[in-house]
Amino acid sequence: RQTASLEYNRPLAEGRWATTLVWGRVHKIATDANLNSYLLESTLNFRRRNYAFSRLELVDKDELFPQAPVHPAYRVGGYTLGGVRDLIQDRAWQLGLGADVTFYSKPAALDPVYGDRPVSFQIFLRMRPGRSH
């Protein structure tokens, strides 16, 4: 297993911008195959209470059909866009209401199982420790 990452974090007048880029590789000894993954994630915190985020992923997967005698590798992508608004912010904790949507890319060979245009979404409450400053 190999990984490498870069991170960027910049304070703003009323928030922060943080971005991470990650690459990973798993070497499968049994098949002598390398499976790669790529991730780019970024969050922009603005006007103290608002967050816009994105996550772009590409992953090589060979475990989608474990019952198959041959395990071909497929490159699957997930592309997420979302946002959160903090409803409560104090020294002890924060509570935010958020939503996101994820669009997926995949080879056409996976259409019978996953459909031709898979999409997911979520609406969530985020609770976390408060700001330390």
Side-chain angles (χ1 to χ4, degrees):
R1 187 176 297 244
Q2 299 168 309
T3 60
S5 64
L6 294 169
E7 294 183 4
Y8 176 80
N9 196 335
R10 179 180 179 178
L12 303 173
E14 290 189 73
R16 179 169 299 278
W17 175 34
T19 299
T20 301
L21 176 64
V22 180
W23 165 80
R25 173 179 282 170
V26 174
H27 179 74
K28 299 276 188 141
I29 295 172
T31 59
D32 196 35
N34 289 318
L35 301 177
N36 292 293
S37 63
Y38 309 91
L39 168 71
L40 176 62
E41 186 172 75
S42 192
T43 301
L44 176 64
N45 170 221
F46 58 99
R47 294 188 180 175
R48 302 243 184 251
R49 294 182 176 267
N50 303 296
Y51 299 82
F53 59 88
S54 62
R55 182 179 178 109
L56 311 174
E57 300 175 79
L58 286 175
V59 181
D60 295 335
K61 289 292 206 179
D62 68 350
E63 298 144 352
L64 296 174
F65 301 104
Q67 69 280 8
V70 178
H71 301 281
Y74 298 101
R75 178 153 292 168
V76 178
Y79 315 96
T80 303
L81 298 171
V84 179
R85 166 83 176 163
D86 278 343
L87 305 173
I88 298 172
Q89 272 188 345
D90 65 26
R91 299 196 116 184
W93 66 294
Q94 296 176 353
L95 180 69
L97 176 63
D100 66 35
V101 61
T102 302
F103 301 92
Y104 299 92
S105 65
K106 46 151 195 57
L110 299 177
D111 286 356
V113 177
Y114 295 99
D116 54 340
R117 289 192 191 103
V119 176
S120 65
F121 69 92
Q122 60 182 346
I123 299 171
F124 57 88
L125 283 174
R126 179 188 70 192
M127 188 171 72
R128 62 185 185 177
R131 296 180 183 257
S132 59
H133 54 86

